[in-house]
């Protein structure tokens, strides 16, 4: 039993000596092998030592002492469980420690119970106080009797009395000790019984976390072994000392002095090393304040694209191919050139050969100062274009971009340089040059900004300067330019900006704009005045000389009600961005909406109101209304356009919604079916097919839609539109009838991705007006693609088929049709990981369609092959503005394009090859095109 207790307590010493505060015992010297464990047990309250402040570690451990230590340990565990719901002490012990503790408690309980029996027997057999009292009375009685007769030994009698008195004192002491011990045994027995259940629960918890404490258990075993080994060594040393061994045989004083000297030198070296480490840490911290970076790219391309006859596009066949000419300036027609989308450009007669490199250096300061001028970030990008067209003399190196950011006394500033795409915008109509992604006007210049947060009114200053080239377009920002804008923000929600812009030798302008947010009300507006070169300052404020653009717009939001109102007047010279020197609105950009995101179109004066009310009827009801009254900028009565209407969206259930509407439009007092172009390109006064509620027309109708993305959709991924609307041509009888039905789906079935759709569209003019057509269009298609198959080469398949037929029953006999299909195979792991190969074949046929280039079907417009939102696949006819408008007639061009395309990619290495042919309407060969391109890019 004693051996097991010693092993258990040794383990407890090992486990519980980790991380506790220490107590001191006078007989446990510093450096003693058990000092940390003893003081940890004392700090935990498991041992308290003796009254004289000693631990007496060399004395044997009695069972009583062991029982007391275990009892205190169990009390500590129980207290931790009650306070925290868990016991760090218990978690520090292994399952073997707990099992040994459980056995020790059981054995001690049995032994103490036996001891209690022995004490009880002692109590039963010991002399009681009454017995001692009677004995003392007898002694007193004897003392009171006369002197004893001769022969009575007085010394013996005295000795007997003393022995009786001593026995009485011993009996009293024994009885008190026995009673105290019995009480302690009873309390200990109760505690042992009470803790047995807790100990069992603790054991279960420890066993459940056995894996988590296994590492600690193994560490405890190793430490226990170290403790025992140290015990053996100490015992051996004690025997040597007790046996008179001479310690000098193990170490002399000189040896000890040498060790002490070495320790002192080591401490000195450690102190010196600590100083060096501290110094290095400071240097590292200082260096980490500034972070340097370098990145760049290298690219090389070789290849050509040629054809034997007419140039044509292949983007319709293979969207996103590597040999396309992409979007850019048109490659046919007159001047000025305009930017065209990819399908409207030829893809042959190209030379791809060339190379380029870019290198960007950057630096960032993690914690810039806030006093004086401080730079927080700077970068510079260099570019090199080489061997264009196969010549070694065309290498061109230049600084592409550079920027510096920082603060002046904590106030932010920045300076940005660009060699060709300097980006800045003062307001909606002045110096708007930040959204021309394909630059119609190349701008080399700088933009500097400063935020004066510590100045009165907190001005934010922007200064721009540079040189521009409009690339042969209209007079928009040509030559040198300069501008300064200062925006004041004295209070939160309010800003006011003053602007000056100048295109040297061409035009100059002044402007003011501002905004105010006050609770639910938001106001914004501007006034810009622009003059051709040669005007005076006073001319800026003469509308007959200067070109003015101004508007004010207010928005109110009160719970479910939203209200917006505006008044505007925009001079016709702001068309295509001319008066505002704004390339965003340049004529260069092709298509409807050429004035970009200007809120109101040029040559427009008027006001408008727009309201929306959201109600909680069914799943949600939104009611909308608008009124807009405008003329041209001169205010000619014949140009007055008045449009008003109402519409609503009632959400029903399961993604279904109902959209009724009614509108009225008059131009010069006459009812019109749709806008003839007044205010075109703006967000007001312009009708186009399928605009919300068919606004800016004279019409009524209703649509039923199903939202494919609704959470409770009937069929997730399924979009449905059923529409019926009628337009008035001024007769009051609404002779234009338009019917639409379409459905499309996007989803997956197993490893297949499906995208089918169908569209039906019919338009009739009961009045048979000139310039309108009666027709029906049926369009349908599907795209099917597989996920990469989990077989060698990881192949994936794709197939697309789309067709459209338009039957024109009045106005023309040129019925139109289009057919397109594409099949493709992709090997997503060809020969090596990340090595992909794609091969595809595609064919397009069109009959009686409008070709943008005017010959055969050399060009398309837009990729609508998988769209249920418009009639056409790629080319006209289609409902571009109104369903009765087939743009330039019904169309008479026919033909087709076929091609095969191959592309291989391995990381940044790409090889592409294309063969394509152009056919006329009879299927006769017209042109053959071939393209080959190799590209390698490295980014670092």
């Amino acid at each position: 039993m004693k051996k097991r207790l010693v092993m258990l307590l040794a383990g407890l010493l090992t486990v519980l000596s980790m991380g506790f505060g220490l107590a001191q015992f006078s007989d446990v010297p510093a450096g003693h092998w058990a000092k940390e464990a003893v003081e940890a047990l004392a700090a935990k309250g498991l041992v308290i030592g003796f009254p004289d402040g000693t631990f007496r570690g060399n004395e044997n451990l009695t069972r009583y002492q062991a029982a007391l230590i275990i009892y205190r340990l169990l009390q500590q565990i129980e207290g931790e469980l009650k306070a925290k719901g868990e016991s760090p002490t218990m978690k520090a012990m292994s399952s073997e420690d707990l099992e040994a503790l459980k056995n020790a408690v059981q054995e001690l309980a049995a032994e103490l119970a036996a001891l209690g029996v022995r004490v009880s027997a002692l109590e039963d057999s010991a002399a009681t106080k009454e017995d001692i009292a009677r004995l003392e009375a007898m002694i007193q009685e004897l003392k009171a009797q006369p002197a004893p007769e001769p022969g009575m030994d007085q010394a013996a009698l005295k000795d007997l009395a003393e022995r009786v008195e001593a026995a009485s004192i011993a009996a009293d002491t024994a009885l008190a000790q026995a009673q105290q011990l019995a009480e302690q045994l009873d309390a200990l027995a109760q505690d042992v019984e009470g803790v047995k259940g807790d100990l069992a629960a603790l054991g279960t918890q420890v066993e459940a976390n056995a894996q988590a404490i296994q590492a600690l258990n193994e560490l405890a075993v190793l430490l226990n072994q170290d403790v025992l080994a140290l015990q053996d060594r100490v015992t051996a040393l004690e025997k040597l000392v007790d046996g008179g061994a001479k310690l000098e045989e193990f170490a002399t004083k000189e040896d000890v002095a040498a060790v002490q000297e070495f320790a002192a030198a080591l401490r000195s070296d450690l102190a010196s090393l600590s100083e060096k480490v501290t110094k290095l840490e400071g240097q590292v911290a200082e260096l980490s304040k500034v972070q340097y970076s370098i990145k760049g790219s290298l690219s090389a391309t070789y290849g050509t694209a040629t054809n034997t006859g007419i140039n044509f596009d292949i983007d319709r066949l293979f969207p996103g191919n590597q040999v396309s000419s992409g979007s850019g300036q048109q490659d046919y027609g007159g001047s000025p050139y305009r930017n065209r989308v990819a399908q409207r450009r030829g893809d042959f007669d190209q030379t791809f050969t060339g190379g380029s490199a870019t290198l960007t250096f950057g630096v960032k300061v993690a914690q810039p100062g806030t006093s004086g001028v401080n730079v927080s970030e700077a970068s510079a990008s260099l570019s090199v274009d080489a061997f264009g067209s196969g010549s070694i003399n065309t290498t061109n190196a230049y600084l592409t971009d550079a920027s510096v950011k920082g603060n002046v006394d904590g106030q932010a500033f920045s300076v940005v340089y660009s060699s060709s795409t300097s980006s800045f915008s003062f307001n909606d109509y002045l110096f708007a040059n930040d959204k021309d992604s394909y630059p119609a006007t190349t701008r080399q210049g700088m933009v500097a900004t400063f935020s004066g947060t510590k100045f009165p009114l907190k001005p934010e200053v922007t200064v721009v300067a540079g040189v521009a080239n409009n690339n042969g377009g209209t007079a928009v920002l040509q030559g040198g330019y300069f501008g300064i804008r200062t925006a004041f923000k004295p209070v939160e929600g309010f800003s006011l900006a003053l602007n000056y812009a100048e295109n040297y030798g061409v035009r100059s302008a002044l402007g003011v704009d501002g905004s105010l947010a006050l609770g639910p009300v938001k106001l914004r507006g501007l006034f810009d005045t622009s003059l051709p070169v040669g005007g005076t300052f006073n001319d800026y404020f003469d509308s007959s000389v200067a070109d003015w653009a101004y508007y004010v717009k207010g928005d109110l939001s009160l719970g479910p009600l939203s209200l917006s109102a505006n008044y505007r007047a925009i001079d016709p010279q702001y068309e295509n961005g001319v008066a505002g020197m704004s390339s965003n609105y340049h004529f260069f950009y092709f298509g409807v909406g050429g004035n970009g995101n200007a809120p109101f179109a040029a040559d427009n004066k008027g006001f408008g109101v727009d309201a929306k009310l959201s109600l909680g009827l069914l799943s949600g009801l939104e009611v909308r209304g608008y009124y807009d009254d405008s003329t041209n900028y001169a205010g000619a009565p014949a140009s007055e356009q008045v449009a008003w209407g109402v519409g609503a969206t009632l959400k029903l259930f399961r993604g279904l919604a109902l959209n009724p509407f009614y509108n009225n439009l008059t131009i010069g007092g006459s009812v019109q079916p749709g806008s003839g172009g007044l205010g075109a390109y703006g967000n007001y006064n312009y009708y186009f097919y399928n605009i919300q509620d068919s606004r800016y027309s004279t019409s009524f109708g209703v649509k039923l839609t199903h939202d494919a993305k609704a959470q409770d959709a009937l069929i997730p991924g399924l979009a449905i539109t059923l529409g019926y609307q009628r337009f008035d041509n001024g007769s009051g009888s609404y002779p234009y009838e338009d019917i639409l039905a379409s459905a499309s789906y996007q989803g997956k079935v197993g490893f297949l991705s499906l995208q089918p759709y169908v569209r039906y569209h019919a338009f009739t003019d009961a009045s048979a007006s000139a310039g309108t057509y009666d027709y029906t269009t049926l369009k349908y298609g599907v795209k099917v693609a597989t996920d990469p198959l989990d077989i060698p080469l990881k192949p994936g398949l794709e197939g697309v088929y789309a067709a459209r037929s338009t039957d024109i029953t009045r106005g023309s006999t040129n019925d139109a049709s289009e057919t397109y299909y594409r099949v493709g195979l992709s090997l997503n792991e060809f020969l090596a990981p990340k090595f992909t190969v794609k091969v595809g074949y595609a064919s397009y046929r069109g009959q009686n369609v409008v070709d943008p280039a005017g010959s055969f079907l050399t060009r398309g417009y837009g990729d609508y092959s998988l769209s249920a939102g418009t009639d056409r696949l790629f080319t006209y006819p289609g409902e571009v503005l109104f369903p009765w408008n087939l743009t330039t007639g019904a169309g008479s061009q026919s033909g087709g394009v076929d091609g095969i395309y191959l592309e291989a990619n391995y990381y940044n290495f790409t090889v592409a090859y294309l063969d394509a042919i152009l056919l006329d309407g009879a299927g006769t060969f017209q042109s053959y095109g071939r393209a080959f391109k190799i590209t390698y890019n490295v980014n670092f």
Side-chain angles (χ1 to χ4, degrees):
M1 169 65 184
K2 184 173 182 180
K3 183 177 181 180
R4 285 195 296 270
L5 285 175
V6 170
M7 294 297 293
L8 171 63
L9 292 176
L12 291 175
L13 287 172
T14 302
V15 173
L16 299 176
S17 63
M18 301 175 183
F20 300 110
L22 302 180
Q24 301 293 327
F25 294 103
S26 60
D27 61 343
V28 182
H32 192 277
W33 62 271
K35 178 178 177 62
E36 185 178 356
V38 169
E39 292 179 342
L41 285 174
K44 295 289 289 184
L46 302 182
V47 296
I48 59 176
F50 291 90
D52 59 355
T54 62
F55 180 71
R56 302 181 188 178
N58 292 326
E59 294 182 3
N60 292 331
L61 180 70
T62 67
R63 287 182 172 83
Y64 302 112
Q65 292 168 335
L68 189 58
I69 293 174
I70 293 174
Y71 171 66
R72 290 170 179 164
L73 174 62
L74 295 176
Q75 280 186 320
Q76 177 174 308
I77 293 174
E78 184 178 10
E80 290 174 348
L81 288 172
K82 290 180 179 179
K84 303 178 181 178
E86 61 179 2
S87 171
T89 302
M90 175 275 296
K91 290 183 177 180
M93 293 188 291
S94 67
S95 57
E96 289 82 3
D97 292 336
L98 287 174
E99 186 63 28
L101 181 62
K102 188 189 303 182
N103 294 336
V105 169
Q106 292 175 351
E107 293 188 27
L108 283 172
E111 292 186 13
L112 290 175
L115 183 60
V117 173
R118 291 167 59 190
V119 171
S120 298
L122 176 62
E123 290 176 338
D124 293 338
S125 61
T128 65
K129 289 184 177 181
E130 289 77 12
D131 294 336
I132 299 300
R134 284 193 300 271
L135 182 58
E136 288 178 340
M138 293 175 63
I139 292 173
Q140 294 298 328
E141 185 179 351
L142 288 173
K143 288 182 178 181
Q145 291 180 0
E149 297 179 358
M152 175 69 70
D153 190 349
Q154 291 293 331
L157 182 60
K158 183 180 180 180
D159 180 69
L160 177 60
E162 290 176 351
R163 290 170 62 187
V164 169
E165 184 175 1
S168 175
I169 294 172
D172 286 341
T173 303
L175 181 59
Q177 290 178 346
Q179 290 176 344
Q180 183 179 2
L181 183 58
E183 292 173 357
Q184 291 177 349
L185 288 173
D186 289 339
L188 182 59
Q190 292 176 2
D191 291 335
V192 168
E193 290 298 326
V195 172
K196 282 182 180 180
D198 295 337
L199 189 59
L202 291 174
T204 301
Q205 184 176 354
V206 170
E207 290 173 359
N209 297 309
Q211 292 181 349
I213 64 174
Q214 184 62 32
L216 289 176
N217 180 43
E218 294 175 356
L219 178 61
V221 172
L222 294 175
L223 292 175
N224 189 36
Q225 292 174 354
D226 293 340
V227 169
L228 294 176
L230 289 173
Q231 282 181 323
D232 294 339
R233 294 173 60 187
V234 170
T235 302
L237 288 173
E238 289 175 345
K239 289 180 179 180
L240 288 173
V241 174
D242 293 340
K246 296 180 179 180
L247 295 178
E248 290 80 359
E249 296 177 0
F250 298 94
T252 64
K253 291 182 178 180
E254 290 76 10
D255 294 334
V256 173
V259 171
Q260 291 175 341
E261 183 179 353
F262 175 74
L266 183 61
R267 283 194 296 271
S268 177
D269 291 343
L270 288 175
S272 177
L273 181 61
S274 177
E275 292 177 359
K276 292 180 180 179
V277 169
T278 301
K279 184 177 180 180
L280 286 174
E281 288 177 344
Q283 292 176 347
V284 170
E286 191 67 26
L287 289 174
S288 65
K289 292 180 180 179
V290 180
Q291 301 176 358
Y292 300 93
S293 65
I294 181 172
K295 61 181 180 179
S297 66
L298 292 171
S299 65
T301 303
Y302 173 78
T304 59
T306 61
N307 65 278
T308 60
I310 302 174
N311 196 0
F312 58 100
D313 78 86
I314 50 88
D315 292 274
R316 290 174 289 175
L317 299 182
F318 306 104
N321 67 85
Q322 295 294 319
V323 296
S324 169
S325 61
S327 62
Q329 293 187 29
Q330 69 183 37
D331 51 356
Y332 63 90
S335 178
Y337 288 156
R338 303 186 69 181
N339 190 46
R340 302 285 177 169
V341 295
Q343 293 88 348
R344 291 181 65 94
R345 305 187 66 218
D347 290 310
F348 300 98
D349 294 335
Q350 297 184 79
T351 299
F352 301 117
T353 302
S356 65
T358 63
L359 194 62
T360 301
F361 301 92
V363 59
K364 289 185 179 181
V365 180
Q367 296 179 343
T370 56
S371 177
V373 179
N374 305 278
V375 174
S376 60
E377 182 177 344
S379 67
S381 299
L382 304 176
S383 295
V384 177
D385 298 327
F387 54 90
S389 303
S391 172
I392 64 174
N393 297 318
T394 58
T395 301
N396 183 24
Y398 53 94
L399 177 65
T400 308
D401 302 285
S403 67
V404 177
K405 297 180 181 179
N407 70 79
V408 179
D409 287 339
Q411 304 167 106
F413 79 89
S414 69
V415 180
V416 179
Y417 165 81
S418 175
S419 64
S420 59
T421 57
S422 188
S423 177
F424 50 90
S425 178
F426 282 9
N427 62 40
D428 290 330
Y429 292 95
L430 182 61
F431 257 23
N433 295 285
D434 62 339
K435 298 186 183 300
D436 53 336
S437 56
Y438 187 98
T441 301
T442 301
R443 294 177 301 277
Q444 178 183 15
M446 301 184 68
V447 179
T449 63
F450 173 73
S451 180
T453 54
K454 296 182 179 180
F455 284 76
L457 304 180
K458 299 179 180 180
E460 293 184 358
V461 181
T462 301
V463 179
V464 302
V467 178
N469 182 358
N470 63 25
N471 300 310
T474 54
V476 177
L477 208 60
Q478 178 69 26
Y481 63 87
F482 169 81
I484 182 170
R485 170 182 172 85
T486 304
F488 301 97
K489 297 183 178 181
V491 295
E492 184 69 24
F494 174 68
S495 69
L496 180 67
L498 303 177
N499 307 280
Y500 174 76
E502 181 176 2
N503 188 184
Y504 301 133
V506 180
R507 180 177 288 271
S508 61
L510 298 175
V512 58
D513 57 83
S515 64
L516 173 65
L518 190 62
V521 178
K522 293 182 180 180
L523 297 173
R524 66 186 179 98
L526 61 78
F527 172 78
D528 292 332
T529 173
S530 176
L531 281 173
V533 66
T536 66
F537 181 78
N538 291 333
D539 289 338
Y540 284 119
F541 306 101
D542 184 348
S543 61
S544 64
V545 178
D547 305 316
W548 286 4
Y550 58 91
Y551 76 83
V552 60
K553 185 175 185 294
D555 296 288
L556 173 66
S557 179
L558 289 175
L561 175 64
S562 298
L563 182 65
S564 178
N566 74 84
Y567 179 81
R568 74 272 185 178
I570 314 297
D571 191 282
Q573 288 299 313
Y574 284 88
E575 181 74 33
N576 299 317
V578 173
M581 297 166 280
S582 300
S583 296
N584 288 357
Y585 314 135
H586 198 293
F587 177 83
F588 180 83
Y589 295 101
F590 172 81
V592 175
N595 269 25
N597 62 347
F600 310 105
D603 196 16
N604 184 279
K605 179 185 292 185
F607 66 92
V609 179
D610 199 335
K612 179 173 64 177
L613 179 64
S614 298
L615 302 173
L617 186 63
L618 293 180
S619 297
L621 172 64
E622 181 179 279
V623 180
R624 298 173 294 271
Y626 73 99
Y627 179 86
D628 194 89
D629 187 341
S630 66
T631 66
N632 61 11
Y633 187 72
S639 68
E640 184 178 14
Q641 177 171 300
V642 179
W644 61 271
V646 293
T649 298
L650 175 62
K651 295 183 179 180
L652 301 174
F653 55 89
R654 303 297 299 276
L656 293 173
L658 197 63
N659 171 211
F661 53 85
Y662 176 83
N663 300 281
N664 187 81
L665 169 70
T666 61
I667 298 179
S670 301
V671 173
Q672 301 291 320
S675 170
L678 178 63
Y681 308 120
N683 292 336
Y684 290 85
N685 297 349
Y686 187 51
Y687 170 83
F688 58 89
Y689 191 60
N690 282 337
I691 192 175
Q692 186 184 45
D693 300 330
S694 284
R695 289 184 173 190
Y696 306 104
S697 66
T698 302
S699 63
F700 67 87
V702 64
K703 291 182 180 180
L704 177 66
T705 60
H706 177 260
D707 185 359
K709 298 181 180 180
Q711 293 183 350
D712 60 343
L714 287 171
I715 301 177
L718 176 64
I720 299 176
T721 299
L722 302 175
Y724 177 83
Q725 57 186 337
R726 298 184 72 106
F727 298 87
D728 189 0
N729 64 349
S731 64
S733 60
Y734 293 87
Y736 296 174
E737 182 182 68
D738 190 58
I739 300 173
L740 173 65
S742 67
S744 62
Y745 173 79
Q746 291 190 31
K748 294 196 69 173
V749 179
F751 64 93
L752 291 177
S753 296
L754 301 178
Q755 192 176 339
Y757 74 92
V758 62
R759 171 185 174 87
Y760 172 82
H761 182 207
F763 178 83
T764 57
D765 176 7
S767 65
S769 304
T772 63
Y773 302 84
D774 294 348
Y775 65 91
T776 59
T777 293
L778 178 63
K779 178 184 177 184
Y780 54 91
V782 64
K783 177 181 178 180
V784 181
T786 70
D787 295 335
L789 303 179
D790 193 15
I791 60 176
L793 305 181
K794 292 187 177 180
L797 300 173
E798 178 191 77
V800 175
Y801 180 83
R804 175 278 279 206
S805 63
T806 298
D807 181 15
I808 303 177
T809 58
R810 186 193 59 81
S812 174
T813 58
N814 294 340
D815 294 343
S817 65
E818 293 180 278
T819 304
Y820 169 73
Y821 68 87
R822 180 177 75 243
V823 292
L825 168 67
S826 60
L827 303 177
N828 296 286
E829 193 171 283
F830 182 72
L831 301 180
K834 304 299 182 181
F835 190 175
T836 63
V837 173
K838 302 177 182 178
V839 60
Y841 177 80
S843 177
Y844 169 74
R845 295 290 185 273
Q847 182 177 6
N848 291 332
V849 297
V850 177
D851 183 78
S855 58
F856 309 112
L857 298 185
T858 59
R859 313 294 167 86
Y861 178 62
D863 183 359
Y864 304 104
S865 59
L866 292 173
S867 171
T870 185
D871 284 356
R872 61 186 182 270
L873 294 186
F874 293 102
T875 55
Y876 304 116
E879 64 298 334
V880 179
L881 300 178
F882 333 108
W884 56 91
N885 177 24
L886 296 183
T887 309
T888 56
S892 59
Q893 302 295 335
S894 300
V897 183
D898 295 337
I900 185 170
Y901 179 69
L902 175 68
E903 180 181 316
N905 292 277
Y906 185 64
Y907 287 94
N908 295 319
F909 182 76
T910 301
V911 178
Y913 177 81
L914 170 75
D915 261 343
I917 59 173
L918 175 68
L919 307 173
D920 64 11
T924 304
F925 172 83
Q926 295 294 319
S927 185
Y928 168 69
R930 170 181 291 176
F932 175 70
K933 185 179 183 182
I934 300 177
T935 304
Y936 183 62
N937 296 308
V938 177
N939 297 311
F940 57 89

